[in-house]
Amino acid sequence: MAVICPTVTAYNLHEYREQLERILPFATRIHIDLMDGEFAPTTSPPIDHLWIPHGVIVDIHLMYRRPMEQLELLKYLNPHMVIIHAEADVHHALFAAEMHKEGIKAGIAFLQDTDIQGVEDKISGFDHGLLFSGHLGHHGGQADLSLLHKVAELKEHHPDMEIGWDGGINEQNVIQLVEGGVEVLNAGSYIQKSPDPHSAYAKLFSNINNSVLSNRRKY
């Protein structure tokens, strides 16, 4: 079953706490965006000022140009997973290995224009592949469903890799994303900007479940 991960994209500690409090009553897995103001145009609070909640699975999406500079701080936070970009200035295999030493999963994200085959040498050793279809460092954006072909490309060479999607998820496209092979759906503005975040979260799950039941009846 696909997983819905509400996203936290905050520019100061007040927003960070506020967004966490909005989703923690119902979320079982969350996705926290961290931005450096260089790779991503916006800036999140310093990593050494952050905390991650207990009792929930936490993935960190590190939109940093130089992820290795944050290695020790990330280890201290000890999330479930850290996702870095294929386009970042880093020795990707070394970063993944350092995460694995601490029992932390490693993910690799791909911007819209990145050709999967062109960065194949960077992918080995990662547990998760994130297809990014949003605006770096911002909630919102459009889900470019033409990128779904990259799911098959990743699964062909990395069949055990978990596939995530970030950007523009809503109740209209969530079924197509799941049917296209996406397993982790990181939903930002659809949930965070809803007047009833829990209901928005539940609606995504409901649409997915209804689609699964409908497909089972066909067979």
Side-chain angles (χ1 to χ4, degrees):
M1 177 60 69
V3 178
I4 305 293
C5 292
T7 299
V8 172
T9 307
Y11 311 124
N12 57 61
L13 289 175
H14 174 74
E15 288 182 341
Y16 183 76
R17 180 185 294 276
E18 188 177 61
Q19 290 185 29
L20 280 175
E21 290 176 347
R22 193 173 292 136
I23 61 178
L24 285 177
F26 55 84
T28 57
R29 182 171 173 178
I30 65 175
H31 181 94
I32 297 176
D33 289 333
L34 299 181
M35 302 81 70
D36 64 356
E38 181 182 353
F39 185 81
T42 54
T43 305
S44 54
I47 297 178
D48 57 356
H49 286 54
L50 299 179
W51 66 95
I52 60 174
H54 297 289
V56 61
I57 298 170
V58 177
D59 300 334
I60 288 178
H61 181 185
L62 194 69
M63 303 180 210
Y64 272 55
R65 175 64 61 192
R66 290 171 288 278
M68 288 298 289
E69 294 178 359
Q70 310 302 319
L71 191 64
E72 295 307 315
L73 293 174
L74 292 167
K75 290 179 179 179
Y76 180 78
L77 281 178
N78 192 34
H80 166 257
M81 178 167 64
V82 176
I83 302 166
I84 61 172
H85 272 264
E87 306 82 7
D89 296 334
V90 64
H91 189 302
H92 289 78
L94 178 59
F95 185 91
E98 288 293 326
M99 289 294 101
H100 290 153
K101 285 180 185 178
E102 305 298 320
I104 300 171
K105 291 187 177 182
I108 182 167
F110 310 93
L111 294 177
Q112 294 95 319
D113 294 334
T114 296
D115 175 62
I116 298 296
Q117 293 184 4
V119 294
E120 180 60 39
D121 61 322
K122 300 179 180 181
I123 300 175
S124 180
F126 283 89
D127 309 289
H128 177 100
L130 177 65
L131 300 177
F132 188 80
S133 180
H135 302 301
L136 283 173
H138 296 279
H139 276 148
Q142 298 293 319
D144 181 359
L145 300 182
S146 70
L147 298 175
L148 279 173
H149 71 91
K150 294 185 179 183
V151 175
E153 290 182 42
L154 285 168
K155 283 294 190 180
E156 179 180 359
H157 298 287
H158 308 277
D160 296 327
M161 176 174 274
E162 180 183 66
I163 305 297
W165 182 281
D166 190 338
I169 293 171
N170 57 44
E171 62 187 83
Q172 284 78 39
N173 59 35
V174 67
I175 294 173
Q176 191 169 348
L177 289 167
V178 171
E179 291 179 348
V182 177
E183 298 159 291
V184 180
L185 299 113
N186 302 298
S189 61
Y190 180 81
I191 293 174
Q192 289 284 0
K193 295 183 180 180
S194 169
D196 187 345
H198 193 179
S199 292
Y201 175 83
K203 179 64 175 176
L204 295 178
F205 263 120
S206 174
N207 284 5
I208 292 170
N209 288 337
N210 289 340
S211 175
V212 170
L213 289 174
S214 177
N215 288 333
R216 284 177 179 170
R217 293 191 189 105
K218 292 178 183 178
Y219 299 99

